[in-house]
Amino acid sequence: MALLWRGGEQPEEVRPGPKPALSVDVIVEAAIEVADREGMAALSMRKVGERLGRTGMALYTYVPNKGELIDLMYDRVLAELPTKYDVSAGWRPAVASWAGHTLDFYLRHPWVLQVSQARPVLGPNEFAALESVVAILRGTGLGPRRTRGVVALLFDFVRGAARTVTESRLAPSATGVSDEEWWRTRSHLLEEVAPGFAERYPMVAWVESQDDEAGEDDTFTMGLNVLLDGLEATIAKG
Amino acid sequence: MALLWRGGEQPEEVRPGPKPALSVDVIVEAAIEVADREGMAALSMRKVGERLGRTGMALYTYVPNKGELIDLMYDRVLAELPTKYDVSAGWRPAVASWAGHTLDFYLRHPWVLQVSQARPVLGPNEFAALESVVAILRGTGLGPRRTRGVVALLFDFVRGAARTVTESRLAPSATGVSDEEWWRTRSHLLEEVAPGFAERYPMVAWVESQDDEAGEDDTFTMGLNVLLDGLEATIAKG
DNA sequence: GACAATGCCTTACGGCATAAGGCTATCAGC
DNA sequence: GCTGATAGCCTTATGCCGTAAGGCATTGTC
């Protein structure tokens, strides 16, 4: 917690003992690289230490434990998000832009989705991220209560969409099988193991049938538009 | 995979060797109890084995590995969900009812939220759950593509809401501190560590200010209504 | 009774977070 | 330059985890 909010530079008091060769910052950076590349499950103190030419235990000089390291990673990476959005064209394009940036962010750092969200880590950049959406919604005339609800809805949607994308990306790469191949194999298995699938689950069969609609935009954009329409209706109702 | 779809009873061929004292079903049941009570992180083969008076290794006679056990737990627990919703009053109350049931379900089994969702486990009850929402939406006239998008949005919203609730419940109980106390301590720390918080994050301060609106319904109901309004608009637009 | 198969066990390996204690480089004060 | 304290980093150890390997006793068929 204190580490999260530590100011620019500490007074740098002169102390006996060897100079620190590492720093909280380089450790956090190395840890983020590991998590970005290999995922949260593969993140271990030893691995981060090795990347810095140290043992895992060396990190405990700088960081009290793995949990706090993750908090630091989380807040650090949140700094990538824009903090201001142009609302001159209204809240709608601004929210759409926010959603897009936030989705990209989660796709860049999928492990972030595994950091607790209900109980926020409460770092400076987390508040900044929250600040940016609320600032957009401020112009809608919604009260704080409704704004909170809408913010939660927006975050849930974006995070859910990100989770869907990243999880479907991760699973096959682990086994070295292509995505398409994976689905084909799965379908074959399904037919073998559950004959009469289409009769048993007619709605599922229908919903997964070939597209009959025009429109090339993806699931994300679609869901976002539904959501924005709902927001518009909510605002209109006062 | 085969275990997921295994039919009612196997032919029960007579085999040499000791009679199995356990079964896949009792193992899955025991594992669910552990996960419900102590969370996914505390679920281990040894712990499930102990609950059944066995070692952890004994389970490997019935289940190939932990991952498949989790798949089985997942599909088993999904059987709790209703499969049919009354659409005689229109899709809106039916979807609302579905969302409520599904939220309760996730709150009952929070660990389910940690089972991969993009790459579904593809068990029978997962398809049944999907079938139930799509059946409701079938009456709206939406095509398969849009329906898919709406289903994703609905699931993302409900899962996000559930995650928010369960994670905020879990964190303090682990430390033995009450929820309220936790927030107060956190606030104190924040003031100490980040003076001028309200000036730095004016929007956050505003959105977290006291309620000025009437209405006693919670964040979930609010978000759901926004979402349903959006769905209504989408349907109206054809 | 011989033999094969099976449920369950113990042991072992390599991973994890992290507590404890030791070595050594580096400082302040003498 | 020496002494003593301190801090960075190490090795070692503890107790978890999933699971591979191999052993033993029970239970069936012939």
Side-chain angles (χ1 to χ4, degrees):
Chain A
M1 187 75 186
L3 278 176
L4 274 172
W5 291 88
R6 92 209 108 111
E9 296 311 313
Q10 244 55 36
E12 181 77 32
E13 26 172 332
V14 191
R15 327 260 230 69
K19 297 268 177 267
L22 303 178
S23 68
V24 173
D25 285 312
V26 304
I27 290 173
V28 170
E29 202 169 322
I32 289 172
E33 276 168 30
V34 172
D36 282 347
R37 188 168 359 252
E38 307 177 46
M40 192 65 131
L43 178 74
S44 74
M45 300 299 274
R46 302 209 234 265
K47 191 133 33 183
V48 176
E50 266 167 38
R51 174 168 293 257
L52 298 166
R54 295 292 123 86
T55 66
M57 286 308 289
L59 308 185
Y60 286 94
T61 308
Y62 302 88
V63 152
N65 54 54
K66 192 185 180 182
E68 296 236 9
L69 174 56
I70 292 175
D71 287 353
L72 290 167
M73 292 165 62
Y74 177 59
D75 203 74
R76 161 78 82 91
V77 94
L78 276 170
E80 292 174 15
L81 285 171
T83 53
K84 276 207 154 31
Y85 285 90
D86 179 20
V87 289
S88 62
W91 57 265
R92 214 189 216 262
V95 172
S97 170
W98 170 88
H101 285 144
T102 307
L103 177 69
D104 288 345
F105 165 77
Y106 285 127
L107 297 186
R108 242 180 354 255
H109 307 292
W111 52 269
V112 169
L113 293 165
Q114 288 163 54
V115 178
S116 171
Q117 46 204 67
R119 184 80 59 165
V121 179
L122 298 185
N125 292 320
E126 173 146 50
F127 283 113
L130 190 52
E131 185 84 1
S132 73
V133 220
V134 178
I136 298 174
L137 295 172
R138 195 60 202 277
T140 59
L142 257 40
R145 244 186 69 80
R146 279 184 198 280
T147 304
R148 253 178 288 157
V150 170
V151 167
L153 174 55
L154 283 168
F155 268 110
D156 288 343
F157 167 65
V158 174
R159 278 198 274 244
R163 240 182 273 267
T164 304
V165 174
T166 63
E167 283 176 13
S168 69
R169 273 200 316 217
L170 267 169
S173 70
T175 54
V177 184
S178 86
D179 211 67
E180 214 176 320
E181 197 176 341
W182 191 91
W183 280 109
R184 251 188 302 115
T185 311
R186 226 43 180 183
S187 301
H188 274 306
L189 276 174
L190 256 193
E191 281 165 26
E192 274 174 36
V193 100
F197 179 84
E199 291 82 50
R200 185 160 168 198
Y201 305 106
M203 297 302 168
V204 176
W206 172 77
V207 88
E208 289 187 345
S209 61
Q210 262 348 302
D211 283 351
D212 46 0
E213 305 172 67
E216 61 292 334
D217 51 50
D218 55 346
T219 312
F220 178 73
T221 315
M222 245 212 58
L224 180 60
N225 279 322
V226 174
L227 208 156
L228 291 175
D229 285 350
L231 185 44
E232 205 157 311
T234 304
I235 292 169
K237 284 195 284 196
Chain B
M1 188 72 185
L3 279 177
L4 274 172
W5 291 87
R6 94 210 106 111
E9 297 312 314
Q10 244 56 34
E12 180 77 35
E13 29 172 328
V14 191
R15 328 261 229 71
K19 296 267 175 269
L22 303 178
S23 68
V24 173
D25 285 312
V26 304
I27 290 172
V28 169
E29 202 170 324
I32 289 171
E33 276 169 31
V34 173
D36 282 347
R37 189 169 355 254
E38 307 177 46
M40 191 66 132
L43 179 74
S44 73
M45 300 300 275
R46 300 202 231 261
K47 191 134 32 184
V48 176
E50 268 167 37
R51 175 169 291 259
L52 297 167
R54 296 291 124 88
T55 66
M57 286 308 290
L59 309 185
Y60 285 94
T61 308
Y62 301 90
V63 153
N65 55 52
K66 193 185 180 183
E68 296 236 10
L69 174 57
I70 292 175
D71 288 352
L72 290 167
M73 293 165 62
Y74 178 59
D75 203 75
R76 161 78 81 92
V77 95
L78 275 170
E80 292 174 13
L81 285 171
T83 53
K84 275 207 153 31
Y85 285 89
D86 178 20
V87 290
S88 62
W91 56 265
R92 215 190 214 261
V95 171
S97 170
W98 171 87
H101 285 143
T102 307
L103 177 69
D104 289 345
F105 164 76
Y106 285 127
L107 298 186
R108 246 182 348 258
H109 306 293
W111 52 269
V112 169
L113 292 164
Q114 289 164 54
V115 179
S116 173
Q117 46 204 67
R119 183 78 57 165
V121 179
L122 299 185
N125 292 319
E126 174 147 52
F127 283 113
L130 190 51
E131 185 84 0
S132 74
V133 220
V134 178
I136 298 173
L137 295 172
R138 196 59 204 276
T140 60
L142 256 40
R145 244 185 70 78
R146 281 185 197 279
T147 303
R148 254 178 287 154
V150 170
V151 167
L153 175 55
L154 283 168
F155 268 111
D156 288 343
F157 168 64
V158 174
R159 278 198 275 245
R163 241 182 272 266
T164 304
V165 175
T166 62
E167 282 176 13
S168 69
R169 274 200 316 216
L170 267 169
S173 69
T175 55
V177 184
S178 85
D179 211 66
E180 217 175 320
E181 197 176 340
W182 191 91
W183 279 108
R184 252 188 300 114
T185 313
R186 231 32 188 188
S187 301
H188 274 306
L189 276 174
L190 254 192
E191 280 164 27
E192 274 174 36
V193 99
F197 178 84
E199 291 82 50
R200 186 161 168 196
Y201 306 104
M203 297 301 169
V204 176
W206 172 78
V207 87
E208 289 187 345
S209 62
Q210 263 347 302
D211 283 352
D212 45 0
E213 304 173 66
E216 61 292 331
D217 52 49
D218 55 347
T219 313
F220 177 73
T221 316
M222 245 212 58
L224 180 59
N225 280 321
V226 174
L227 206 156
L228 292 175
D229 285 351
L231 186 44
E232 206 157 311
T234 305
I235 292 169
K237 281 195 284 199

